[in-house]
């Protein structure tokens, strides 16, 4: 496995880019550490697949260099880069058995038969298809085929990195749990460098040690799952991560207090600069008899908790209320200061003690 | 209303749908929830008239429409693998049902633009579907179903290929549109979370059978059997087989859970006791919570909560714990089972009684 350096990588699908707008991927200068598990997360069109394709060699970046363990691979083909890839839809040989599908990439590289057998059986066990080894791949269900694709990505241990492009989209929810925790265990055991592209926040956050959040062709934040949740650097991160996303309210800040209409909100500290927006996740909005009065517009009971939609000083706000908690007849909300972040022009402003 | 009476569909000797009876009202939202191959698509095709049942009957507003083909019924169906006319622009794709219905051009223009706006397709109206992303093509198919103004709309995992946040938005918007139009709206999904967010009524499917049909939150809280409870749990339902003896469920040397009051009278013997991942916790939230020692197999952190995978006796459980909690694999932790929400099933998998009444 290798570390992957993105050295001032930029990409434009336009021949002569004139402005930032012409870049599908704006400048990225970052190192994926050897043995790290990373997720690229963002909506469609954010540039995450472009970035993945540049790493895999399916696409040549229009600017910048790509290094594997310090070696320049910018001009090498996908094959020469020696990486494994798993795509959104199954890529398998229908006429081969499940076993041979997994053995194929190993035999191609002249791996000794005993080693092939050991690796294939180990991988079959992991993807839960041991009993299907002798079956032809044709006639399997879509999620079984996708498991074979995953297996093919994982069967080789000599690759520089394993790249995943939305690999679990076609997999049933229960199987997603199983495969996700297996990928994690595998990562821990073998220390593969893994890069995982997804638009599903749960997949990204549970899989990766570091999540790269992309929006509009640029990286807006790279961080651990808890950093993305607690301290979103950009209001887009607050919105995209979490369900419902972070509430963003226009405020006037005076010292350690924010004013929203006629209401005052205590801040965790004074911002080190001008701030005009207050961000707070629904998890930190406490509904009860204390605080600012709100008008509840809708309560969604989704089993393990309720999502309360309300208006506060003319602004829409979401709050989360526990399964066994009730909502008072005259509800009020209190903002837990620990959950408050301040923003100016969508970017987070640090607060002092 | 749409009524299915004892509908069965057999293909080459295999039962795809087994003895399904369902009644769906106008303006209602109905979720078909079940894993891949549980029969969701087969059932929708029978509802639409794309397939005829092997036995049983389909009624629409009291009229027997069994065997009436889809062309002669006012039905719109959207598959996960969307279908569009490749040679037409997005605008014409959306407009096509209105053109077939002979609508005037002013109305066509108004409705196409409305649907396009809702599905964020306005910038792409002049493109052909092949120049769009998968998600945009799927939204084109959805827009066409909206303008068709059908009395029965069937969506088969329609949002599976879309971005997470767009799904969130459409999940809120689509039911509103169809409810306002008085449409019978049927929505198939593999995801329990999606069913809960949609609300309405849910039919859980397993191996071609409807295991339960009722208000979504009721089916979730009071599953009639273990199959339904499992179908409606994500993360997976936690279960353990325990022996009831007197007032408690026990496992030798391990666990003792109180038998819920409402079912105190059941016979002694083996039962499957089940609870949701958020009803087990690192903290003792209620005086009655039962402590036990379990071994951590893996931890997943979403930023706001932790999924902690546990091994207890022969059982593999998931604990959904708010906050960030790091554990080493194989570490032993003390956890508490919230006994207020236990579900109890007999050896045949039937609910002995739906879960205990929640604290008021």
């Amino acid at each position: 496995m290798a570390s992957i350096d993105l050295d001032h990588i930029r990409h434009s699908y336009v021949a002569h880019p004139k402005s930032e707008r012409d870049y599908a991927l704006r400048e990225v200068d970052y190192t994926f550490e050897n043995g790290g598990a990373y997720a690229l997360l963002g909506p469609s069109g954010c540039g995450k697949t472009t970035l993945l394709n540049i790493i895999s060699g399916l696409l040549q970046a229009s600017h910048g260099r790509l290094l594997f363990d310090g070696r320049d691979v910018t001009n090498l083909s996908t094959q020469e880069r020696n990486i494994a890839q798993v795509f959104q839809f199954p890529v398998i040989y229908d006429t081969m058995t499940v076993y041979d599908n997994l053995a194929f990439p190993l035999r191609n590289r002249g791996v000794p038969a005993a080693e092939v057998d050991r690796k294939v059986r180990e991988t079959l066990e992991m993807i839960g298809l041991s009993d299907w080894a002798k079956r032809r791949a044709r006639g399997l269900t879509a999620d079984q085929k996708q498991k074979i694709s995953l297996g093919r990505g994982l069967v080789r241990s000599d690759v520089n990195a394993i790249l995943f492009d939305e690999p679990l989209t076609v997999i049933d929810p229960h199987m997603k749990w199983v495969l996700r925790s297996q990928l994690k265990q595998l990562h821990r055991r073998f220390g593969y460098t893994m890069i995982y592209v997804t638009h599903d926040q749960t997949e990204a956050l549970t899989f990766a040690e570091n999540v790269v959040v992309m929006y509009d062709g640029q990286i807006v934040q790279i961080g651990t799952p808890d950093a993305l949740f607690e301290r979103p650097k950009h209001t887009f991160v607050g919105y995209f991560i979490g369900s419902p996303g972070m509430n963003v309210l226009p405020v006037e800040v005076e010292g350690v207090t924010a004013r929203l209409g006629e209401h005052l909100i205590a801040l965790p500290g004074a911002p080190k600069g001008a701030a005009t927006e207050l961000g707070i996740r629904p998890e930190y909005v406490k509904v009860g008899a204390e605080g600012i009065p709100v008008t509840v517009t809708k309560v969604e009971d989704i089993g393990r908790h309720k999502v309360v939609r309300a208006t506060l000083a003319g602004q829409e706000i979401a709050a989360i209320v526990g399964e066994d908690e009730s909502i008072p007849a005259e509800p009020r909300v209190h903002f837990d200061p620990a959950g408050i972040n301040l923003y100016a022009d969508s970017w987070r402003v640090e607060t002092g003690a | 209303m749409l009524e299915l009476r004892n509908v069965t569909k057999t293909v080459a000797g295999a039962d795809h749908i087994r003895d399904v009876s369902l009644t769906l009202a106008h303006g209602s939202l109905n979720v078909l929830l079940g894993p891949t191959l549980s029969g969701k698509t087969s059932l929708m095709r029978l509802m639409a008239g794309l397939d005829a049942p092997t036995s049983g009957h389909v009624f629409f507003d009291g009229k027997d429409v069994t065997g009436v083909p889809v062309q002669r019924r006012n039905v719109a169906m959207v598959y996960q693998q969307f279908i569009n006319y490749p040679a037409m622009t997005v605008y014409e794709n959306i407009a096509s049902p209105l053109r077939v219905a002979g609508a005037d051009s002013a109305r066509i223009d108004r409705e196409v633009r409305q649907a396009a706006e809702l599905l964020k397709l306005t910038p792409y109206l002049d493109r052909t579907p092949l120049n769009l992303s998968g998600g945009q093509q799927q939204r084109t198919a959805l827009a066409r179903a909206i303008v068709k103004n059908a009395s029965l709309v069937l969506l088969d995992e329609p949002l599976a290929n879309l971005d997470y946040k767009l799904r969130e938005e459409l999940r809120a918007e689509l039911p509103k549109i169809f409810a306002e139009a008085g449409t019978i709206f049927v929505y198939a999904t593999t995801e329990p979370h999606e069913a809960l967010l949609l609300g309405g009524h849910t039919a859980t499917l397993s191996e071609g059978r409807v295991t339960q049909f009722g208000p979504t939150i009721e089916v979730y809280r009071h599953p009639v059997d273990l199959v339904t409870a499992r179908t409606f749990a994500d993360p997976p339902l936690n279960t353990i087989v325990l022996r009831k003896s007197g007032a408690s469920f026990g496992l030798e040397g391990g666990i003792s859970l109180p038998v819920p009051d409402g079912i105190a009278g059941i016979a002694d013997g083996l039962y499957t006791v089940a609870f949701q991942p958020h009803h087990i916790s690192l903290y003792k939230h209620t005086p009655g919570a039962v402590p036990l020692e379990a071994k951590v197999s893996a931890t997943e952190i979403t930023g706001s909560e932790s999924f902690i995978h546990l091994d207890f006796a022969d059982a593999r459980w998931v604990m959904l714990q708010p906050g960030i909690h790091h554990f080493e694999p194989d570490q032993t932790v003390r956890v508490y089972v919230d006994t207020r929400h236990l579900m109890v099933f007999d050896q045949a998998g039937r609910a002995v009684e739906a879960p205990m009444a929640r604290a008021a």
Side-chain angles (χ1 to χ4, degrees):
Chain A
M1 293 285 154
S3 66
I4 299 171
D5 270 311
L6 303 163
D7 179 10
H8 296 86
I9 292 273
R10 276 190 295 167
H11 188 72
S12 175
Y13 292 100
V14 186
H16 302 287
K18 291 181 184 66
S19 72
E20 283 284 286
R21 297 270 78 201
D22 290 336
Y23 286 89
L25 186 68
R26 302 198 217 168
E27 186 163 301
V28 179
D29 199 46
Y30 187 71
T31 301
F32 293 104
E33 300 292 342
N34 183 15
Y38 297 88
L40 307 182
L41 175 70
S44 71
C46 72
K48 59 187 191 297
T49 302
T50 301
L51 181 54
L52 192 77
N53 289 345
I54 287 169
I55 296 170
S56 70
L58 289 176
L59 190 69
Q60 178 105 33
S62 45
H63 302 76
R65 293 192 312 155
L66 185 73
L67 309 156
F68 283 7
D69 273 343
R71 191 167 75 99
D72 192 331
V73 298
T74 316
N75 297 312
L76 296 188
S77 69
T78 299
Q79 252 157 358
E80 291 165 321
R81 292 183 191 193
N82 194 23
I83 42 163
Q85 297 188 77
V86 180
F87 299 97
Q88 184 174 2
F89 296 105
V91 181
I92 57 167
Y93 301 102
D94 256 1
T95 52
M96 285 189 194
T97 63
V98 172
Y99 185 102
D100 287 339
N101 260 286
L102 297 189
F104 188 70
L106 298 174
R107 290 178 182 146
N108 262 351
R109 283 168 184 79
V111 175
E115 174 73 3
V116 169
D117 192 60
R118 195 181 62 75
K119 289 294 295 181
V120 170
R121 287 184 192 283
E122 189 182 286
T123 309
L124 282 170
E125 185 67 29
M126 193 172 64
I127 57 176
L129 287 179
S130 294
D131 295 343
W132 298 73
K134 295 204 171 75
R135 291 276 295 266
R136 284 197 197 287
R138 180 191 298 137
L140 297 187
T141 61
D143 66 320
Q144 284 171 325
K145 288 184 179 175
Q146 183 63 354
K147 281 196 261 176
I148 300 175
S149 290
L150 272 174
R152 285 165 51 103
L154 300 168
V155 76
R156 289 173 56 205
S157 43
D158 64 333
V159 292
N160 281 321
I162 308 176
L163 311 183
F164 301 89
D165 192 0
E166 311 258 8
L168 300 183
T169 306
V170 297
I171 304 270
D172 268 359
H174 284 197
M175 189 39 85
K176 272 186 192 168
W177 281 93
V178 175
L179 291 178
R180 244 173 34 210
S181 58
Q182 279 169 346
L183 283 178
K184 245 184 124 70
Q185 278 177 16
L186 212 81
H187 178 253
R188 218 175 32 233
R189 264 175 69 197
F190 300 110
Y192 296 142
T193 306
M194 292 177 161
I195 302 174
Y196 190 112
V197 164
T198 180
H199 59 72
D200 183 315
Q201 48 163 305
T202 308
E203 269 178 42
L205 296 169
T206 53
F207 171 78
E209 295 153 345
N210 280 289
V211 179
V212 180
V213 185
M214 299 186 65
Y215 171 56
D216 201 16
Q218 59 182 327
I219 293 174
V220 285
Q221 187 169 2
I222 300 173
T224 59
D226 39 317
L228 298 178
F229 187 81
E230 301 290 348
R231 299 287 170 252
K233 266 177 70 180
H234 190 278
T235 51
F236 175 80
V237 178
Y239 154 81
F240 199 75
I241 303 223
S243 179
M246 182 173 74
N247 298 296
V248 179
L249 303 165
V251 290
E252 286 167 34
V253 177
E254 294 151 22
V256 293
T257 309
R259 180 186 293 275
L260 173 61
E262 59 185 23
H263 307 290
L264 297 177
I265 299 161
L267 301 176
K272 296 174 177 170
T276 54
E277 292 165 306
L278 180 150
I280 185 159
R281 293 198 175 275
E283 287 83 351
Y284 289 108
V285 179
K286 307 294 172 201
V287 179
E290 305 287 321
I292 306 170
V294 292
T295 309
V296 173
T297 50
K298 197 176 174 200
V299 179
E300 299 162 21
D301 186 346
I302 57 168
R304 67 189 178 88
H305 58 231
K306 296 183 267 277
V307 179
V308 176
R309 311 269 179 188
T311 49
L312 181 167
Q315 299 289 320
E316 287 183 19
I317 186 164
I320 286 184
V321 172
E323 181 182 23
D324 299 306
E325 293 167 32
S326 56
I327 300 158
E330 285 177 24
R332 290 167 175 267
V333 297
H334 168 71
F335 291 178
D336 180 350
I340 292 177
N341 289 288
L342 295 169
Y343 296 87
D345 199 17
S346 301
W347 291 95
R348 183 166 180 269
V349 180
E350 287 287 335
T351 52
Chain B
M1 67 176 78
L2 176 73
E3 195 185 350
L4 273 62
R5 271 191 220 157
N6 306 103
V7 166
T8 293
K9 178 72 181 176
T10 308
V11 179
D15 284 341
H16 284 202
I17 292 297
R18 306 181 197 198
D19 193 19
V20 168
S21 295
L22 277 179
T23 302
L24 312 179
H26 284 290
S28 67
L29 163 61
N30 308 279
V31 181
L32 304 181
L33 174 67
T36 310
L37 295 181
S38 60
K40 301 184 299 296
T41 304
S42 302
L43 190 57
M44 285 189 149
R45 292 181 61 87
L46 291 167
M47 288 175 171
L50 283 161
D51 292 330
T54 309
S55 64
H57 290 271
V58 182
F59 295 87
F60 199 87
D61 287 340
K63 204 171 115 221
D64 191 338
V65 294
T66 316
V68 175
V70 65
Q71 298 82 350
R72 290 173 45 210
R73 297 166 57 180
N74 188 15
V75 176
M77 183 155 174
V78 178
Y79 294 91
Q80 184 185 349
Q81 298 305 337
F82 36 81
I83 298 164
N84 290 303
Y85 302 105
M88 291 185 191
T89 61
V90 169
Y91 185 103
E92 283 306 319
N93 262 283
I94 302 174
S96 61
L98 294 168
R99 296 230 189 269
V100 171
D104 62 65
S105 57
R107 186 183 142 209
I108 290 175
D109 197 60
R110 193 178 63 240
E111 297 199 6
V112 168
R113 288 185 190 281
Q114 248 171 25
E117 195 58 37
L118 175 75
L119 290 156
K120 303 197 180 349
L121 286 169
T122 307
Y124 313 109
L125 283 172
D126 297 331
R127 299 207 198 166
T128 57
L130 293 178
N131 293 314
L132 299 179
S133 73
Q136 289 159 346
Q137 293 184 49
Q138 176 68 326
R139 282 181 272 151
T140 304
L142 281 170
R144 197 168 56 236
I146 288 172
V147 303
K148 192 170 178 185
N149 202 16
S151 47
L152 175 62
V153 171
L154 304 147
L155 306 186
D156 192 1
E157 301 191 44
L159 308 183
N161 294 325
L162 301 188
D163 277 355
Y164 187 85
K165 280 285 156 175
L166 187 61
R167 293 176 66 161
E168 224 170 65
E169 209 173 297
L170 289 179
R171 219 184 259 138
E173 286 302 320
L174 288 175
K176 272 193 228 158
I177 300 165
F178 293 120
E180 276 167 22
T183 312
I184 301 172
F185 182 36
V186 184
Y187 188 109
T189 180
T190 59
E191 295 179 28
H193 186 64
E194 185 155 58
L196 286 163
L197 284 167
L198 286 164
H201 283 63
T202 289
T204 42
L205 274 93
S206 173
E207 297 177 349
R209 284 186 311 118
V210 169
T211 61
Q212 190 170 350
F213 180 59
T216 300
I217 197 77
E218 286 301 307
V219 178
Y220 171 79
R221 290 234 164 85
H222 305 286
V224 294
D225 54 26
L226 189 53
V227 171
T228 306
R230 283 195 202 282
T231 304
F232 220 140
D234 181 41
L237 188 72
N238 296 318
T239 61
I240 187 164
V241 176
L242 297 174
R243 180 172 295 281
K244 180 198 176 263
S245 171
S248 64
F249 289 109
L251 184 75
E252 222 161 275
I255 187 173
S256 175
L257 296 171
V259 177
D261 288 341
I263 57 167
I266 59 172
D268 285 0
L270 290 177
Y271 292 90
T272 300
V273 176
F275 53 90
Q276 296 284 357
H278 62 283
H279 291 143
I280 181 170
S281 173
L282 291 169
Y283 306 108
K284 187 168 185 169
H285 291 298
T286 57
V290 171
L292 52 91
E293 311 276 321
K295 208 160 88 174
V296 173
S297 65
T299 309
E300 301 178 285
I301 291 165
T302 70
S304 57
E305 28 192 41
S306 308
F307 296 113
I308 301 157
H309 297 250
L310 300 170
D311 288 331
F312 177 79
D314 290 341
R316 309 212 75 180
W317 290 341
V318 184
M319 173 165 68
L320 174 47
Q321 181 70 48
I324 311 280
H325 302 272
H326 292 280
F327 291 103
E328 289 306 312
D330 296 330
Q331 191 179 337
T332 299
V333 289
R334 166 160 292 201
V335 294
Y336 297 88
V337 177
D338 182 347
T339 55
R340 294 174 302 169
H341 300 277
L342 292 184
M343 302 179 217
V344 180
F345 303 94
D346 64 20
Q347 283 308 90
R350 285 183 300 261
V352 169
E353 210 212 51
M356 280 303 299
R358 298 168 296 285

